[in-house]
Structure formats: structure tokens, C-alpha cells
Amino acid sequence: RAESDVITCSSAISACEKASAWENSMLLFDLLLQSALELDTIIYSAVISACEKGGEWQMALQLSSMMAQSKVESDTVTRSAVITTFQKGSKWQEALQLFSAMAQSSLRSNTITFSSLIRACDTGGEWEKASHTFSVIARENLEFNSIAVNAAISAHEKGGEWEEVLQLFVVMARDG
């Protein structure tokens, strides 16, 4: 019964996220905190994703800290959502810090994680860091996506690095 309640609440939180109703997700999360139910990675990820959609980076960071304090394991999806929230809040330094922590843990970054970090660096005007992150995608043999390529192009353009933009176009044309 308790497991079905957690699954039901997780689904309701995800529905709120998709409706861009992060406040309602938080209300449901608060109800779960008051219950005797054991919260898991899925619940935390769902509410952090809702905060990401709402641009609530402070709340996402607080939830991430609560996860650690509760000894709930975070995963790549959870941390990628927090990095995306930092990007939307123009908090590129925090995005880099979390990414570095991920790299030092057993969690593997994926294309979404890298794309979010590149966009965060681009948003913060840190084209060199965006470029470095883009190069790591190639080194890790991850698949490029249009979000990562476009963010890297934008960052290089802002840095006046038109030669790098041309190289990225070549990469994009070659790798599809």
C-alpha cells in the first residue's frame, strides 16, 4: 500500500510538472514529507523537475540537499534537472560545481547533463567553459544533440570565435 501511495504521488507530481504547476508539486511533496512514507529518488526527481520547469533553482538546490540529508541516492536525471534549473537561473558557477561533483562520484553524465551545462555556461557568457564542456562530449564518446551544438555555437558567437563556430558546423554536418 505504501509503495502504491508513493507511485501515485510521484505520478501526480509529474502531472503538475508537465502542467508547469511547480507550486502544486511542492504542496504534494510537503504532504509526503508529513506522511510516514519513505521518499525515494523518483519522488525527489519529479519535484526537482517541476522546480526546473518553474525556474526555481533555489528550491531545486534545497531539494537536492534534502535528498542528501535523507540519504536518498540522486541519479543522473536528478542532477541534470538541477543543472538545467541553474541554467535557467543564470547560475553557471553552481552548474559547474554540481557537474564537478557528479564527475567525482559514480554518476555518469549523459548528453542532457552536458547540454544543460553548455547552456548554463553560454547563458553566463562563459564561452570558453561551454567550449571545453562541448569537447568533453566528444572525449566521452557521447552523442551530440542539437541543443548542445546550438548552445556551443551561441557561446562561441558571443565570444567572437567565428572559427570555432565554423568547426562546430562541420561537426554537426558530419555527425548529423
Side-chain angles (χ1 to χ4, degrees):
R1 171 136 170 85
E3 184 178 329
S4 68
D5 289 343
V6 170
I7 292 169
T8 302
C9 284
S10 176
S11 296
I13 289 170
S14 292
C16 292
E17 172 211 344
K18 287 172 181 50
S20 297
W22 73 272
E23 297 97 338
N24 292 335
S25 292
M26 287 304 302
L27 289 173
L28 289 169
F29 183 74
D30 286 341
L31 289 173
L32 282 172
L33 286 176
Q34 295 169 20
S35 75
L37 297 175
E38 188 173 322
L39 303 184
D40 61 9
T41 304
I42 295 169
I43 289 286
Y44 277 99
S45 292
V47 75
I48 287 171
S49 291
C51 290
E52 178 256 313
K53 294 282 190 295
E56 295 294 322
W57 69 268
Q58 295 102 332
M59 187 60 65
L61 183 59
Q62 183 178 357
L63 289 163
S64 184
S65 294
M66 287 174 67
M67 274 183 87
Q69 290 170 358
S70 301
K71 305 222 183 318
V72 175
E73 290 279 328
S74 65
D75 60 9
T76 302
V77 173
T78 306
R79 296 218 184 157
S80 294
V82 175
I83 288 172
T84 301
T85 305
F86 287 149
Q87 178 262 319
K88 290 182 177 178
S90 298
K91 299 293 179 187
W92 65 270
Q93 298 99 330
E94 289 82 351
L96 279 171
Q97 287 173 350
L98 182 56
F99 182 80
S100 294
M102 270 182 88
Q104 294 183 3
S105 74
S106 61
L107 290 177
R108 298 260 314 139
S109 298
N110 60 22
T111 304
I112 295 168
T113 311
F114 281 105
S115 297
S116 297
L117 183 59
I118 292 167
R119 289 175 51 212
C121 292
D122 176 39
T123 301
E126 295 294 321
W127 69 268
E128 289 136 335
K129 288 178 179 30
S131 177
H132 172 74
T133 303
F134 190 81
S135 70
V136 172
I137 294 174
R139 222 177 25 247
E140 296 281 327
N141 290 322
L142 294 172
E143 192 174 306
F144 292 104
N145 67 16
S146 61
I147 295 169
V149 173
N150 288 333
I153 288 171
S154 174
H156 285 295
E157 181 267 326
K158 288 176 184 167
E161 298 293 315
W162 63 268
E163 298 95 349
E164 294 290 329
V165 171
L166 291 176
Q167 288 180 343
L168 288 171
F169 271 115
V170 169
V171 167
M172 197 166 69
R174 182 190 67 219
D175 296 343

